[in-house]
Amino acid sequence: MTLTTSTHAPLIIDVAATELNDADRRRLANPLVGGVIHFARNWQDRAQMTALNAEIKAIRPDLLICVDHEGGRVQRFRTDGFTRLPSMRSLGELWMQDAMRATQAATAAGQVLAAELRACGVDFSFAPVLDLDYGGSSVIGDRSFHRDPRVVALLAKSVMHGMLQMGMRNCGKHFPGHGFVNADSHVEIPVDRRSLKAILADDARPYDWLAGTLTAVMPAHVIYSKVDKRPAGFSSRWLKDILRERLAFDGAVFSDDLSMEAGRYIDGKLLSYTDAALAALDAGCDLALLCNQSIGDGQPLDELLEGFATAVRNKRWQANPESELRRRALLPQVPAPERGALARSGAHQDALRLLPSSI
Protein backbone atom coordinates (compact mmCIF):
# COMPACT_ATOMS: atom_id res chain seq x y z
CA MET A 1 0.00 0.00 0.00
CA THR A 2 1.47 3.36 -1.03
CA LEU A 3 0.70 6.32 1.18
CA THR A 4 1.29 9.97 0.43
CA THR A 5 1.10 13.00 2.68
CA SER A 6 -2.30 13.75 1.17
CA THR A 7 -3.63 10.53 2.66
CA HIS A 8 -3.44 11.65 6.30
CA ALA A 9 -3.65 8.73 8.70
CA PRO A 10 -5.23 10.35 11.78
CA LEU A 11 -6.25 7.36 13.92
CA ILE A 12 -4.15 5.75 16.66
CA ILE A 13 -5.56 2.39 17.78
CA ASP A 14 -4.50 -0.59 19.89
CA VAL A 15 -4.03 -4.31 19.31
CA ALA A 16 -5.47 -7.06 21.42
CA ALA A 17 -2.62 -9.17 22.78
CA THR A 18 1.05 -10.12 22.55
CA GLU A 19 0.72 -11.24 18.93
CA LEU A 20 -1.29 -9.83 16.04
CA ASN A 21 -4.45 -11.57 14.97
CA ASP A 22 -6.09 -11.27 11.56
CA ALA A 23 -8.36 -8.43 12.71
CA ASP A 24 -5.36 -6.47 14.00
CA ARG A 25 -3.56 -6.91 10.68
CA ARG A 26 -6.60 -5.79 8.71
CA ARG A 27 -7.03 -2.67 10.83
CA LEU A 28 -3.36 -1.72 10.77
CA ALA A 29 -3.35 -1.96 6.97
CA ASN A 30 -6.16 0.59 6.78
CA PRO A 31 -4.71 3.85 5.40
CA LEU A 32 -6.69 5.87 7.95
CA VAL A 33 -4.67 4.28 10.78
CA GLY A 34 -1.50 6.18 11.60
CA GLY A 35 -0.25 4.30 14.61
CA VAL A 36 -0.71 1.81 17.41
CA ILE A 37 -0.51 2.25 21.18
CA HIS A 38 0.68 -0.61 23.41
CA PHE A 39 -0.41 -1.47 26.93
CA ALA A 40 0.84 -3.87 29.59
CA ARG A 41 -1.31 -6.64 28.09
CA ASN A 42 0.79 -6.43 24.92
CA TRP A 43 3.97 -7.16 26.89
CA GLN A 44 5.46 -10.55 27.68
CA ASP A 45 9.17 -9.98 27.30
CA ARG A 46 11.64 -8.09 25.13
CA ALA A 47 11.88 -10.76 22.44
CA GLN A 48 8.10 -10.92 22.10
CA MET A 49 7.71 -7.11 22.01
CA THR A 50 10.47 -6.79 19.42
CA ALA A 51 8.80 -9.43 17.23
CA LEU A 52 5.38 -7.81 17.62
CA ASN A 53 6.69 -4.41 16.55
CA ALA A 54 8.61 -5.91 13.63
CA GLU A 55 5.40 -7.47 12.35
CA ILE A 56 3.57 -4.15 12.73
CA LYS A 57 6.29 -2.40 10.70
CA ALA A 58 6.14 -5.16 8.08
CA ILE A 59 2.48 -4.27 7.52
CA ARG A 60 3.12 -0.52 7.36
CA PRO A 61 6.63 0.91 7.88
CA ASP A 62 5.15 4.36 8.50
CA LEU A 63 2.99 3.30 11.46
CA LEU A 64 3.94 5.12 14.66
CA ILE A 65 4.32 2.63 17.53
CA CYS A 66 3.49 4.40 20.80
CA VAL A 67 3.21 3.70 24.51
CA ASP A 68 2.46 5.56 27.75
CA HIS A 69 5.82 5.11 29.43
CA GLU A 70 6.49 8.06 31.72
CA GLY A 71 8.20 6.50 34.74
CA GLY A 72 6.81 5.95 38.20
CA ARG A 73 3.36 4.37 38.23
CA VAL A 74 2.77 4.94 34.51
CA GLN A 75 5.26 2.54 32.94
CA ARG A 76 3.87 -0.26 30.79
CA PHE A 77 6.99 -2.46 30.59
CA ARG A 78 8.77 -3.23 33.87
CA THR A 79 10.44 -6.63 33.51
CA ASP A 80 13.06 -8.48 31.44
CA GLY A 81 15.69 -5.78 31.55
CA PHE A 82 13.47 -2.69 31.60
CA THR A 83 14.64 -0.20 34.21
CA ARG A 84 12.06 0.87 36.77
CA LEU A 85 12.10 4.60 36.08
CA PRO A 86 11.61 7.14 38.86
CA SER A 87 8.42 9.14 39.19
CA MET A 88 8.67 12.69 37.93
CA ARG A 89 7.89 13.93 41.44
CA SER A 90 11.09 12.28 42.69
CA LEU A 91 13.01 14.40 40.18
CA GLY A 92 11.25 17.49 41.48
CA GLU A 93 12.15 16.53 45.04
CA LEU A 94 15.76 16.10 43.98
CA TRP A 95 15.61 19.58 42.44
CA MET A 96 14.85 21.02 45.88
CA GLN A 97 18.09 19.46 47.17
CA ASP A 98 20.37 19.94 44.16
CA ALA A 99 18.99 21.56 41.02
CA MET A 100 21.90 20.64 38.76
CA ARG A 101 21.90 17.04 39.94
CA ALA A 102 18.16 16.93 39.20
CA THR A 103 18.63 18.11 35.61
CA GLN A 104 21.32 15.46 35.14
CA ALA A 105 18.98 12.79 36.51
CA ALA A 106 16.11 14.02 34.32
CA THR A 107 18.26 13.81 31.20
CA ALA A 108 19.35 10.32 32.22
CA ALA A 109 15.72 9.29 32.74
CA GLY A 110 14.89 10.45 29.23
CA GLN A 111 17.86 8.58 27.79
CA VAL A 112 17.02 5.32 29.56
CA LEU A 113 13.30 5.58 28.79
CA ALA A 114 13.85 6.15 25.08
CA ALA A 115 16.76 3.77 24.57
CA GLU A 116 15.08 0.79 26.21
CA LEU A 117 11.83 1.36 24.32
CA ARG A 118 13.51 1.87 20.97
CA ALA A 119 15.61 -1.27 21.44
CA CYS A 120 12.28 -3.17 21.45
CA GLY A 121 10.93 -1.37 18.38
CA VAL A 122 8.77 1.28 20.10
CA ASP A 123 8.97 4.64 18.32
CA PHE A 124 7.34 7.10 20.69
CA SER A 125 6.27 7.62 24.30
CA PHE A 126 3.57 9.99 25.49
CA ALA A 127 5.89 11.79 27.89
CA PRO A 128 6.60 13.99 29.77
CA VAL A 129 3.71 15.22 31.92
CA LEU A 130 3.73 19.02 32.20
CA ASP A 131 0.86 19.29 34.70
CA LEU A 132 1.54 21.16 37.92
CA ASP A 133 1.34 19.37 41.26
CA TYR A 134 -1.33 21.09 43.34
CA GLY A 135 -1.51 18.10 45.68
CA GLY A 136 -5.16 17.19 45.14
CA SER A 137 -5.27 15.33 41.82
CA SER A 138 -5.20 11.56 42.18
CA VAL A 139 -4.90 11.02 38.43
CA ILE A 140 -1.83 13.28 38.16
CA GLY A 141 -0.23 13.12 41.60
CA ASP A 142 3.40 11.97 41.44
CA ARG A 143 3.33 12.02 37.63
CA SER A 144 4.01 15.76 37.98
CA PHE A 145 7.50 17.15 38.49
CA HIS A 146 6.56 20.05 40.76
CA ARG A 147 4.10 22.81 41.62
CA ASP A 148 6.36 25.52 40.16
CA PRO A 149 5.97 25.80 36.36
CA ARG A 150 9.62 26.89 36.06
CA VAL A 151 10.83 23.68 37.66
CA VAL A 152 8.41 21.65 35.54
CA ALA A 153 9.65 23.29 32.33
CA LEU A 154 13.34 22.86 33.12
CA LEU A 155 13.09 19.24 34.24
CA ALA A 156 10.79 18.36 31.35
CA LYS A 157 13.25 19.94 28.93
CA SER A 158 16.00 17.76 30.40
CA VAL A 159 13.88 14.62 30.01
CA MET A 160 13.06 15.58 26.43
CA HIS A 161 16.73 16.22 25.70
CA GLY A 162 17.58 12.73 26.91
CA MET A 163 14.82 11.22 24.80
CA LEU A 164 15.95 13.10 21.72
CA GLN A 165 19.53 11.89 22.21
CA MET A 166 18.16 8.37 21.78
CA GLY A 167 16.16 9.34 18.70
CA MET A 168 12.72 9.66 20.30
CA ARG A 169 10.36 12.62 20.05
CA ASN A 170 8.27 13.85 23.00
CA CYS A 171 4.70 14.71 23.96
CA GLY A 172 3.80 17.29 26.60
CA LYS A 173 0.54 16.60 28.39
CA HIS A 174 -2.17 17.52 29.39
CA PHE A 175 -2.60 20.97 27.81
CA PRO A 176 -3.27 23.53 29.24
CA GLY A 177 -3.02 21.74 32.62
CA HIS A 178 -4.81 18.91 34.43
CA GLY A 179 -3.22 19.30 37.86
CA PHE A 180 -5.59 21.90 39.35
CA VAL A 181 -8.77 19.80 39.16
CA ASN A 182 -9.31 16.81 41.44
CA ALA A 183 -11.76 14.85 39.27
CA ASP A 184 -10.41 11.91 37.24
CA SER A 185 -11.20 12.44 33.55
CA HIS A 186 -11.13 8.68 33.00
CA VAL A 187 -14.52 8.47 34.74
CA GLU A 188 -15.98 11.99 34.87
CA ILE A 189 -15.63 15.43 33.32
CA PRO A 190 -13.43 17.75 35.39
CA VAL A 191 -14.30 21.45 35.30
CA ASP A 192 -11.68 24.13 35.95
CA ARG A 193 -13.35 27.49 36.66
CA ARG A 194 -10.25 29.67 36.62
CA SER A 195 -9.82 32.52 34.16
CA LEU A 196 -7.76 32.25 30.99
CA LYS A 197 -5.33 34.80 32.45
CA ALA A 198 -4.76 32.64 35.54
CA ILE A 199 -4.24 29.45 33.53
CA LEU A 200 -1.83 31.06 31.06
CA ALA A 201 0.14 32.63 33.92
CA ASP A 202 0.63 29.31 35.71
CA ASP A 203 -0.35 25.88 34.32
CA ALA A 204 0.19 26.71 30.64
CA ARG A 205 3.55 28.44 31.13
CA PRO A 206 5.60 25.28 30.39
CA TYR A 207 3.89 25.04 26.98
CA ASP A 208 4.85 28.64 26.28
CA TRP A 209 8.46 28.21 27.36
CA LEU A 210 8.85 24.85 25.59
CA ALA A 211 6.93 25.61 22.40
CA GLY A 212 10.06 25.30 20.28
CA THR A 213 11.17 22.07 22.00
CA LEU A 214 7.94 20.09 22.21
CA THR A 215 7.25 17.87 19.22
CA ALA A 216 3.74 16.85 20.28
CA VAL A 217 1.07 17.92 22.74
CA MET A 218 -1.92 16.09 24.23
CA PRO A 219 -4.77 18.27 25.51
CA ALA A 220 -6.69 17.54 28.70
CA HIS A 221 -10.19 16.09 28.89
CA VAL A 222 -11.03 19.06 31.11
CA ILE A 223 -13.57 21.84 30.62
CA TYR A 224 -12.16 25.30 31.39
CA SER A 225 -15.56 26.90 31.72
CA LYS A 226 -14.47 30.55 31.58
CA VAL A 227 -12.66 29.89 28.30
CA ASP A 228 -14.86 27.40 26.42
CA LYS A 229 -17.76 25.09 27.23
CA ARG A 230 -16.00 22.20 25.47
CA PRO A 231 -13.11 20.14 26.89
CA ALA A 232 -9.75 21.43 25.68
CA GLY A 233 -9.27 18.52 23.27
CA PHE A 234 -12.46 19.50 21.43
CA SER A 235 -11.97 23.26 21.64
CA SER A 236 -10.73 25.19 18.62
CA ARG A 237 -10.20 28.15 20.93
CA TRP A 238 -7.71 26.20 23.01
CA LEU A 239 -6.04 24.31 20.17
CA LYS A 240 -6.07 26.78 17.30
CA ASP A 241 -6.32 30.21 18.89
CA ILE A 242 -4.24 29.64 22.03
CA LEU A 243 -1.90 26.69 21.44
CA ARG A 244 -1.16 27.30 17.76
CA GLU A 245 -1.47 31.07 17.46
CA ARG A 246 -0.75 32.55 20.88
CA LEU A 247 1.85 30.01 22.04
CA ALA A 248 3.25 29.35 18.52
CA PHE A 249 3.28 25.56 18.84
CA ASP A 250 3.76 23.87 15.46
CA GLY A 251 4.10 20.17 16.36
CA ALA A 252 1.54 17.37 16.39
CA VAL A 253 -1.55 17.43 18.60
CA PHE A 254 -3.00 14.13 19.82
CA SER A 255 -6.43 13.81 21.34
CA ASP A 256 -6.45 12.08 24.69
CA ASP A 257 -8.07 8.64 24.74
CA LEU A 258 -11.57 8.94 23.28
CA SER A 259 -12.74 5.88 25.22
CA MET A 260 -12.45 7.83 28.49
CA GLU A 261 -15.70 8.91 30.10
CA ALA A 262 -14.92 12.57 29.53
CA GLY A 263 -13.63 11.90 26.05
CA ARG A 264 -16.95 11.85 24.24
CA TYR A 265 -19.17 14.30 26.10
CA ILE A 266 -19.48 17.43 23.99
CA ASP A 267 -22.14 20.08 24.48
CA GLY A 268 -23.91 17.79 26.93
CA LYS A 269 -24.15 14.83 24.54
CA LEU A 270 -22.38 11.49 24.46
CA LEU A 271 -20.92 11.10 20.98
CA SER A 272 -20.05 7.96 19.08
CA TYR A 273 -16.35 7.21 18.72
CA THR A 274 -16.49 8.38 15.12
CA ASP A 275 -18.19 11.66 15.95
CA ALA A 276 -15.82 12.27 18.86
CA ALA A 277 -12.77 11.66 16.68
CA LEU A 278 -14.15 13.93 13.96
CA ALA A 279 -14.86 16.64 16.54
CA ALA A 280 -11.32 16.40 17.93
CA LEU A 281 -9.77 16.68 14.47
CA ASP A 282 -12.07 19.55 13.52
CA ALA A 283 -11.06 21.42 16.69
CA GLY A 284 -7.39 21.21 15.79
CA CYS A 285 -6.06 17.78 16.74
CA ASP A 286 -3.90 16.08 14.14
CA LEU A 287 -4.41 12.59 15.54
CA ALA A 288 -7.27 10.88 17.39
CA LEU A 289 -6.49 8.21 19.97
CA LEU A 290 -8.89 5.35 20.77
CA CYS A 291 -7.59 2.85 23.32
CA ASN A 292 -8.53 -0.60 24.61
CA GLN A 293 -11.19 -1.29 21.99
CA SER A 294 -9.49 -4.21 20.23
CA ILE A 295 -10.26 -6.50 23.17
CA GLY A 296 -13.07 -8.96 22.48
CA ASP A 297 -14.67 -8.61 19.07
CA GLY A 298 -13.08 -5.21 18.41
CA GLN A 299 -16.35 -3.90 17.04
CA PRO A 300 -15.78 -0.31 18.27
CA LEU A 301 -12.60 -0.09 16.19
CA ASP A 302 -14.31 -1.47 13.12
CA GLU A 303 -17.17 0.98 13.58
CA LEU A 304 -14.66 3.83 13.88
CA LEU A 305 -12.90 2.84 10.65
CA GLU A 306 -16.19 2.37 8.82
CA GLY A 307 -17.48 5.67 10.19
CA PHE A 308 -14.38 7.52 9.00
CA ALA A 309 -14.56 5.93 5.58
CA THR A 310 -18.16 7.14 5.33
CA ALA A 311 -17.12 10.61 6.50
CA VAL A 312 -14.50 10.73 3.74
CA ARG A 313 -17.02 9.66 1.09
CA ASN A 314 -19.54 12.23 2.33
CA LYS A 315 -16.86 14.93 2.49
CA ARG A 316 -17.55 15.35 6.17
CA TRP A 317 -13.81 14.96 6.77
CA GLN A 318 -10.90 15.79 4.48
CA ALA A 319 -7.27 14.78 4.82
CA ASN A 320 -4.93 17.42 6.19
CA PRO A 321 -1.47 17.17 4.57
CA GLU A 322 0.09 19.31 7.34
CA SER A 323 -1.24 16.92 10.00
CA GLU A 324 0.22 13.97 8.13
CA LEU A 325 3.61 15.66 7.94
CA ARG A 326 3.47 16.28 11.69
CA ARG A 327 2.65 12.62 12.31
CA ARG A 328 5.52 11.40 10.17
CA ALA A 329 7.90 13.83 11.85
CA LEU A 330 7.40 11.85 15.08
CA LEU A 331 8.91 8.70 13.54
CA PRO A 332 12.54 8.08 14.58
CA GLN A 333 15.11 9.38 12.13
CA VAL A 334 18.06 7.34 13.41
CA PRO A 335 18.47 3.56 13.84
CA ALA A 336 17.34 2.03 17.14
CA PRO A 337 20.01 0.79 19.54
CA GLU A 338 20.58 -2.95 19.64
CA ARG A 339 19.64 -4.31 23.05
CA GLY A 340 22.88 -6.20 23.71
CA ALA A 341 25.02 -3.25 22.68
CA LEU A 342 22.84 -0.96 24.81
CA ALA A 343 23.34 -3.13 27.89
CA ARG A 344 27.10 -3.02 27.36
CA SER A 345 27.18 0.70 26.62
CA GLY A 346 29.13 2.83 29.06
CA ALA A 347 26.84 5.78 28.34
CA HIS A 348 23.78 3.69 29.27
CA GLN A 349 25.42 2.52 32.48
CA ASP A 350 26.31 6.11 33.32
CA ALA A 351 22.68 7.15 32.77
CA LEU A 352 21.44 4.37 35.05
CA ARG A 353 23.79 5.53 37.81
CA LEU A 354 22.41 9.08 37.57
CA LEU A 355 18.82 8.00 38.27
CA PRO A 356 17.51 8.68 41.79
CA SER A 357 18.03 5.63 43.99
CA SER A 358 14.54 5.91 45.50
CA ILE A 359 11.84 5.15 42.91
Side-chain angles (χ1 to χ4, degrees), residues 74 131 234 297:
V74 180
D131 301 315
F234 300 100
D297 62 9

Side-chain angles (χ1 to χ4, degrees), residues 72-298:
R73 59 192 166 96
V74 180
Q75 180 174 338
R76 304 305 185 203
F77 314 146
R78 298 167 178 260
T79 57
D80 194 23
F82 264 87
T83 302
R84 293 289 295 269
L85 295 165
S87 69
M88 298 304 99
R89 176 183 284 167
S90 71
L91 296 171
E93 291 170 346
L94 181 58
W95 173 279
M96 301 307 293
Q97 303 167 27
D98 185 339
M100 297 310 296
R101 170 77 174 83
T103 60
Q104 276 188 307
T107 301
Q111 290 171 332
V112 173
L113 180 159
E116 292 181 350
L117 287 175
R118 292 209 59 215
C120 287
V122 176
D123 299 322
F124 184 78
S125 178
F126 292 105
V129 168
L130 300 183
D131 301 315
L132 307 188
D133 185 4
Y134 287 87
S137 173
S138 61
V139 70
I140 302 302
D142 64 0
R143 298 166 67 191
S144 170
F145 290 101
H146 205 274
R147 169 61 184 86
D148 188 330
R150 297 170 297 180
V151 178
V152 170
L154 288 169
L155 288 178
K157 190 170 187 177
S158 294
V159 170
M160 294 188 291
H161 178 62
M163 294 170 67
L164 187 60
Q165 286 179 317
M166 297 297 109
M168 182 177 284
R169 303 301 192 262
N170 58 72
C171 182
K173 59 186 186 183
H174 306 82
F175 177 79
H178 200 309
F180 186 79
V181 293
N182 292 342
D184 184 347
S185 57
H186 291 84
V187 295
E188 55 185 315
I189 308 175
V191 178
D192 188 332
R193 294 180 171 82
R194 292 176 298 163
S195 68
L196 175 61
K197 181 179 179 180
I199 296 167
L200 290 178
D202 204 9
D203 295 61
R205 289 307 296 276
Y207 295 91
D208 186 7
W209 291 324
L210 299 173
T213 307
L214 286 165
T215 52
V217 163
M218 178 178 286
H221 282 330
V222 176
I223 295 173
Y224 304 87
S225 56
K226 290 187 177 178
V227 182
D228 197 342
K229 63 182 180 179
R230 290 187 165 197
F234 300 100
S235 166
S236 61
R237 184 166 189 211
W238 275 116
L239 300 183
K240 295 179 180 178
D241 299 344
I242 299 173
L243 182 62
R244 292 287 189 206
E245 296 298 325
R246 187 164 182 165
L247 302 183
F249 174 70
D250 63 358
V253 178
F254 289 84
S255 79
D256 205 342
D257 177 14
L258 297 175
S259 72
M260 291 163 61
E261 185 72 14
R264 292 182 289 136
Y265 275 99
I266 304 177
D267 302 330
K269 296 183 292 186
L270 180 64
L271 301 185
S272 69
Y273 291 133
T274 297
D275 288 341
L278 289 168
L281 296 174
D282 185 59
C285 289
D286 300 294
L287 298 150
L289 186 65
L290 182 61
C291 301
N292 297 313
Q293 301 306 307
S294 63
I295 303 168
D297 62 9

Side-chain angles (χ1 to χ4, degrees), residues 330-351:
L330 300 177
L331 291 162
Q333 303 301 307
V334 296
E338 189 273 324
R339 176 64 201 185
L342 181 65
R344 296 187 299 270
S345 164
H348 191 66
Q349 295 304 317
D350 289 343

Side-chain angles (χ1 to χ4, degrees), residues 44-92:
Q44 177 179 317
D45 55 39
R46 287 187 288 113
Q48 165 272 324
M49 178 55 61
T50 303
L52 173 62
N53 291 330
E55 185 175 2
I56 290 170
K57 290 291 188 177
I59 294 171
R60 291 260 305 283
D62 73 297
L63 287 170
L64 183 70
I65 301 176
C66 313
V67 69
D68 272 324
H69 201 87
E70 305 166 4
R73 59 192 166 96
V74 180
Q75 180 174 338
R76 304 305 185 203
F77 314 146
R78 298 167 178 260
T79 57
D80 194 23
F82 264 87
T83 302
R84 293 289 295 269
L85 295 165
S87 69
M88 298 304 99
R89 176 183 284 167
S90 71
L91 296 171

